[in-house]
Amino acid sequence: MLLSTRMRCAKLARIIGALLAAAALAACSTVRLAYNNLPEVSYWWLDTYLDFDGSQTPKVRDELAQLLSWHRQNELPRIAGLLQEAQALAPRDATAAQACRMADQIRERLLAVTERAEPAGTELALSLTEAQLQQLERKYAKNNADYRKDWLERSTADVQEKRYDRFLDRLEDFYGRLSPEQRDLLRRQVAQSVFDPRLADAERRQRQQEALQLLRGFNAAKPSAAEARAAIHAYVMRIAEPPPGPWRDHQQALLQEGCRNLAALHNTTSAAQREQAARRLQAYQDDLRQLVAAR
């Protein structure tokens, strides 16, 4: 339930593999206050999907506050450790295997948060009304329309340019300005990518329909909390570990591609660029530890 924010903090998360959004918030001294306000931000984000009623609101707010407290105490130190590992790697050449190992560690942290949120999420899911599920359906439709406009209605060249600009922005925020040769390498990587926005769109729509079917099933069958939690956990794990098929193959190909590309580009960086990356990572660690100490 911890949600994404924007600007430099979100860029850090993406660069090192989509660290928890809360960690990205914590890793920027300018938004330490935002980390402490995550329960409020999270509540309003979730409310756009589910339109909470008066009985749900105080419970959701309280659960989000508890989740943040747990995350601060248990997860921020672990994320600081991941940043320390990344800092140790920054001065040297990297391998795709090292990049993928970092991605695996980040995935573990993401799953730890979802597991922690499962009991509260289950209680909320069992309380949702049909009107709220219709609101969720409308929100999904809006998201799908936005995605279509952003990705599916563009030419291949426009999609590649959009991805190139995003990667360039994130990398230069981390390493500093890339050289013309590094920019050329990034353009080639994007042009050769296996990324398929239509496949991603189809998978997202399928997940949405599964979620709606699951939640409407709860309304009809009235399962116990244990049964509902098991079903929600299985749904989450299908997203984390897709069953064999085209989407799983595509996801794995994208992961391996990302690891290769990050290592290849990192290995072209100068000593000054690597020093800047190391300084950034150290500053992020310092900020995380200050947040942990402030609990």
Side-chain angles (χ1 to χ4, degrees), residues 30-76:
T30 57
V31 289
R32 289 177 192 157
L33 181 61
Y35 181 83
N36 294 324
N37 286 336
L38 266 175
E40 185 70 10
V41 175
S42 302
Y43 170 81
W44 287 111
W45 185 87
L46 288 168
D47 191 54
T48 66
Y49 282 81
L50 296 169
D51 191 18
F52 296 126
D53 63 31
S55 65
Q56 293 165 333
T57 291
K59 182 66 174 177
V60 172
R61 289 184 183 276
D62 182 62
E63 291 292 351
L64 288 168
Q66 291 185 46
L67 183 60
L68 181 68
S69 177
W70 169 85
H71 184 270
R72 184 195 302 270
Q73 181 177 355
N74 294 276
E75 289 300 307
L76 288 188

Side-chain angles (χ1 to χ4, degrees), residues 71-295:
H71 184 270
R72 184 195 302 270
Q73 181 177 355
N74 294 276
E75 289 300 307
L76 288 188
R78 291 184 171 94
I79 295 165
L82 291 180
L83 293 171
Q84 188 172 19
E85 286 186 40
Q87 183 184 14
L89 294 173
R92 305 191 298 270
D93 280 358
T95 66
Q98 288 172 322
C100 279
R101 178 175 175 273
M102 181 68 68
D104 288 342
Q105 291 175 299
I106 293 164
R107 176 180 174 278
E108 290 174 4
R109 304 277 47 85
L110 286 165
L111 288 175
V113 174
T114 60
E115 183 176 356
R116 181 72 181 189
E118 273 182 10
T122 299
E123 183 177 351
L124 174 62
L126 290 172
S127 76
L128 296 176
T129 66
E130 176 57 29
Q132 289 176 309
L133 297 183
Q134 290 174 9
Q135 167 62 20
L136 177 61
E137 204 163 15
R138 288 190 294 270
K139 182 63 173 177
Y140 280 160
K142 182 182 183 302
N143 291 350
N144 292 339
D146 290 343
Y147 185 88
R148 171 168 291 279
K149 180 179 178 181
D150 289 342
W151 295 103
L152 302 183
E153 294 178 356
R154 294 173 180 260
S155 67
T156 300
D158 285 345
V159 168
Q160 290 181 0
E161 189 66 22
K162 182 173 182 176
R163 296 188 76 221
Y164 170 80
D165 288 342
R166 287 189 172 188
F167 288 136
L168 180 66
D169 185 46
R170 296 164 191 170
L171 290 164
E172 290 197 330
D173 183 78
F174 195 64
Y175 289 112
R177 185 170 178 81
L178 298 188
S179 70
E181 293 78 13
Q182 289 168 331
R183 290 181 174 216
D184 287 344
L185 172 59
L186 180 59
R187 279 199 181 277
R188 292 195 301 273
Q189 290 176 341
V190 171
Q192 296 166 5
S193 175
V194 299
F195 172 69
D196 184 346
R198 286 173 172 75
L199 194 57
D201 181 61
E203 175 63 20
R204 188 183 65 257
R205 288 172 182 271
Q206 181 177 331
R207 290 201 305 266
Q208 292 168 354
Q209 291 306 308
E210 287 177 1
L212 289 166
Q213 183 178 2
L214 180 69
L215 294 171
R216 287 192 165 114
F218 291 168
N219 277 350
K222 308 297 183 186
S224 68
E227 291 170 333
R229 181 177 179 181
I232 289 172
H233 181 77
Y235 172 76
V236 170
M237 293 310 298
R238 283 197 300 275
I239 297 173
E241 290 285 352
W247 174 246
R248 177 170 182 155
D249 294 343
H250 183 65
Q251 195 176 59
Q252 287 297 314
L254 275 176
L255 174 61
Q256 294 299 321
E257 175 187 283
C259 295
R260 290 193 306 271
N261 289 351
L262 180 59
L265 197 141
H266 175 79
N267 293 345
T268 71
T269 53
S270 66
Q273 287 172 321
R274 295 181 185 195
E275 287 170 6
Q276 176 165 324
R279 286 194 300 270
R280 282 291 177 92
L281 290 164
Q282 181 60 59
Y284 296 151
Q285 291 173 64
D286 294 342
D287 287 334
L288 260 68
R289 292 189 173 106
Q290 287 183 37
L291 272 167
V292 173
R295 65 174 181 265

